[in-house]
Amino acid sequence: MSLTTLGLSATMADYVRTNTLRESEALRALRERTAELENANWSMSPEQGQFMALTAQIAGVKSYLELGCFTGYGALSVASALPSDGRVITCERSEEYAAIAREYWTRAGFADRIEVRMEDALRVLDKLLDEHGEGVMDMVFIDADKKPYPDYYQRAVRLVRPGGLIAVDNAFRGGGVADPADTSKATQAIRDVTITIRDDDRVDMVLVPIADGIILARKR
Ligand code: DHB
Ligand code: MG
């Protein structure tokens, strides 16, 4: 028992992975392929993938929008957990990363449930709002570029239905959010969106201190 959150030591992180990870062969292969890339740390950990997947299941998600696909680990984690009529839309501007994602989604047999839009995340949000209106998505995962996080959030909260979820990645920014010396615009945007969500009476929210910090918000 603890009155605060324990930092996860390497020993405990190893315990969690060894004793609780359920990762398909396809996801493991994709993780190993992604580890070869220079920006491998942009991918989510397998534990976070498992967390996102279970969160989507708990919320009864059938339509999931991800901002920031990278090599598709998060999209495949969630797509694998949705019912057979569930759909994932994700966005990515790099053809190199999207090609890896498609290859592994196909291998896993989930390519027909995931659509990748090769466009800026903000444009994808605006188009979905234009085409389908408000309250149509079950869950939006905000990742991608950090500076537009406040803009992503304002659109996401309109796009999800009442009872739907918004998850925000990198809420800790590797500890930068609590470091006064970190004055980067990206970190400031994450601080700003955190306070915005806390003070937004359209949602209930919590910051889950796993991985790099994940804000979960549920639209009222
Ligand atoms: C970075 C971005 C991410 O979205 C992430 O999950 C980890 C790291 C980055 O910009 O370094
Ligand atoms: Mg991220």
Side-chain angles (χ1 to χ4, degrees), residues 41-44 48 143-144 146 149 169-170 173 212:
N41 72 316
W42 291 356
S43 190
M44 63 174 62
Q48 183 175 353
D143 200 8
K146 306 310 170 201
Y149 264 30
D169 199 35
N170 306 107
R173 188 80 178 154
D212 191 26

Side-chain angles (χ1 to χ4, degrees), residues 50-126:
Q50 195 166 318
F51 176 79
M52 300 306 301
L54 185 63
T55 302
Q57 286 178 324
I58 291 167
V61 167
K62 287 190 178 182
S63 55
Y64 182 91
L65 171 65
E66 175 188 70
L67 310 179
C69 173
F70 190 45
T71 57
Y73 190 93
L76 182 56
S77 297
V78 173
S80 315
L82 297 189
S84 57
D85 58 344
R87 291 293 176 270
V88 172
I89 299 173
T90 183
C91 37
E92 178 55 53
R93 280 168 306 182
S94 157
E95 191 46 61
E96 180 199 349
Y97 298 151
I100 296 171
R102 287 194 201 95
E103 179 189 335
Y104 284 82
W105 297 339
T106 301
R107 269 208 225 178
F110 284 95
D112 60 338
R113 297 196 202 171
I114 312 171
E115 175 195 349
V116 58
R117 299 203 177 179
M118 302 299 299
E119 258 185 328
D120 181 79
L122 218 46
R123 275 191 61 77
V124 171
L125 284 161
D126 282 336

